[in-house]
Amino acid sequence: MKTTIDYKEIEDLSKQYYELSNNIINHEKYIAYSLTHHSTAIEGSTLTESQVVNLLEFGKTAATKPYEHHLMVSDFYKAFLFMNYYSKENTQININFIQELAGLVVKSTGGLVSTIGGDFDISKGEFRLCSVRAGSRYFPDYKKVPKMVNDFIKETNSELQKVKTFRQKMELAFKIHFTFVSIHPFGDGNGRTSRLLMNYVQNQFKIPYTFVLKEDRLKYYKALEKARKEEKLEPFYDFMFSQHLKLIKRELKIILGTK
């Protein structure tokens, strides 16, 4: 059964949330903590949301959790701060920004990889020089990656100047997410980087961040795969709009103190 998306409701609630949240001290910081928790949990981090807050706010580690998971969380948060700063200072993206962002995402967990195609350093945001697979899906040949990323940048910068309506802006953010993760240009951190690029667009247009909740991880992967198989973005758009609405409603309940 096809999901009916009420774009007007999503737009109105997003505006209400954006206005209310701007009047709350440290709200942006704690949303960043929550976004960090969920984005890293999708990729395997076992830190709870409270453990993420303790780590980022107070530098406290969780003795029962792998140290690598702490590094993943810390790296992602630093990458988020970089994205947030860049999006407020720049209206277009470039290759240096993308590679620096990707490098920050895996700064402490990435490293040098040696392949038949050559050596590349994941922690520096260098493009992969090998094939990459996720589940049963292989991503584009590494030799195609530089051109694909350059085309992605040109198209993104062009569309950033054209979109006008709330729906167009949101669909552009989701499209950028989908396209970039489907290129999979790096040895690691592609999902996290693609979600930060989505947030970059939303920040440009003063739209509340969308992030995928860890409990919806399987639905997220299914939406990505369905969009790829059907060669159309609507299944992914539907999931992401519903995820955005779910997040906005949750946050408004907290702000307004409603049940």
Side-chain angles (χ1 to χ4, degrees):
M1 189 170 109
K2 184 173 175 58
T3 304
T4 301
I5 305 295
D6 188 338
Y7 301 105
K8 185 66 167 59
E9 178 191 20
I10 298 173
E11 181 176 5
D12 290 344
L13 290 177
S14 294
K15 287 180 179 178
Q16 181 186 13
Y17 169 64
Y18 189 84
E19 291 170 0
L20 289 172
S21 63
N22 278 338
N23 292 318
I24 300 175
I25 296 174
N26 289 331
H27 182 78
E28 185 176 9
K29 179 171 66 173
Y30 285 102
I31 283 298
Y33 290 170
S34 185
L35 188 154
T36 297
H37 163 64
H38 286 281
S39 197
T40 54
I42 286 173
E43 306 301 334
S45 169
T46 57
L47 269 66
T48 65
E49 191 153 6
S50 61
Q51 288 170 340
V52 167
V53 172
N54 281 332
L55 176 64
L56 299 178
E57 185 75 4
F58 307 110
K60 294 181 179 179
T61 57
T64 59
K65 299 298 174 68
Y67 186 58
E68 183 179 359
H69 294 182
H70 292 79
L71 295 176
M72 184 191 299
V73 166
S74 295
D75 282 348
F76 183 87
Y77 183 62
K78 290 173 185 175
F80 169 85
L81 293 177
F82 172 70
M83 176 282 297
N84 187 53
Y85 172 80
Y86 186 92
S87 68
K88 292 177 180 178
E89 298 293 322
N90 298 272
T91 57
Q92 295 195 326
I93 60 173
N94 56 53
I95 191 64
N96 292 330
F97 163 67
I98 288 177
Q99 290 190 292
E100 187 170 354
L101 181 67
L104 287 171
V105 164
V106 291
K107 182 58 66 178
S108 304
T109 59
L112 188 67
V113 178
S114 295
T115 70
I116 295 176
D119 297 342
F120 65 98
D121 194 330
I122 297 175
S123 68
K124 293 180 180 178
E126 295 178 353
F127 293 142
R128 59 181 168 87
L129 296 174
C130 61
S131 299
V132 64
R133 174 181 174 179
S136 61
R137 175 167 295 279
Y138 281 94
F139 291 95
D141 186 283
Y142 74 88
K143 294 176 184 176
K144 298 179 180 178
V145 164
K147 183 180 185 306
M148 292 180 79
V149 174
N150 281 328
D151 290 345
F152 165 82
I153 290 171
K154 290 178 183 177
E155 183 177 353
T156 297
N157 287 333
S158 174
E159 292 190 17
L160 279 169
Q161 308 305 313
K162 296 177 182 177
V163 291
K164 302 297 181 184
T165 68
F166 173 82
R167 180 177 174 180
Q168 288 173 343
K169 292 169 183 176
M170 289 289 279
E171 288 186 348
L172 175 58
F174 299 153
K175 178 183 177 182
I176 285 168
H177 175 178
F178 177 85
T179 302
F180 195 81
V181 79
S182 297
I183 297 172
H184 235 70
F186 304 109
D188 191 20
N190 293 285
R192 281 161 282 174
T193 301
S194 70
R195 292 189 289 275
L196 285 173
L197 288 172
M198 170 181 69
N199 297 148
Y200 160 86
V201 174
Q202 293 173 320
N203 217 19
Q204 285 271 307
F205 296 116
K206 295 181 171 54
I207 295 172
Y209 293 132
T210 303
F211 53 97
V212 179
L213 296 168
K214 66 177 183 178
E215 57 265 31
D216 293 328
R217 173 185 179 182
L218 292 181
K219 293 179 182 178
Y220 167 59
Y221 289 149
K222 286 180 180 178
L224 281 168
E225 194 56 31
K226 186 176 182 181
R228 289 176 183 135
K229 284 184 177 180
E230 295 183 1
E231 297 184 347
K232 59 182 181 180
L233 287 166
E234 282 73 19
F236 188 61
Y237 286 163
D238 286 351
F239 171 78
M240 293 304 295
F241 272 115
S242 65
Q243 192 77 172
H244 184 80
L245 181 59
K246 182 177 180 179
L247 287 162
I248 294 299
K249 285 183 173 180
R250 184 189 72 173
E251 291 302 315
L252 280 172
K253 283 182 180 180
I254 295 171
I255 292 173
L256 298 173
T258 57
K259 293 183 180 180

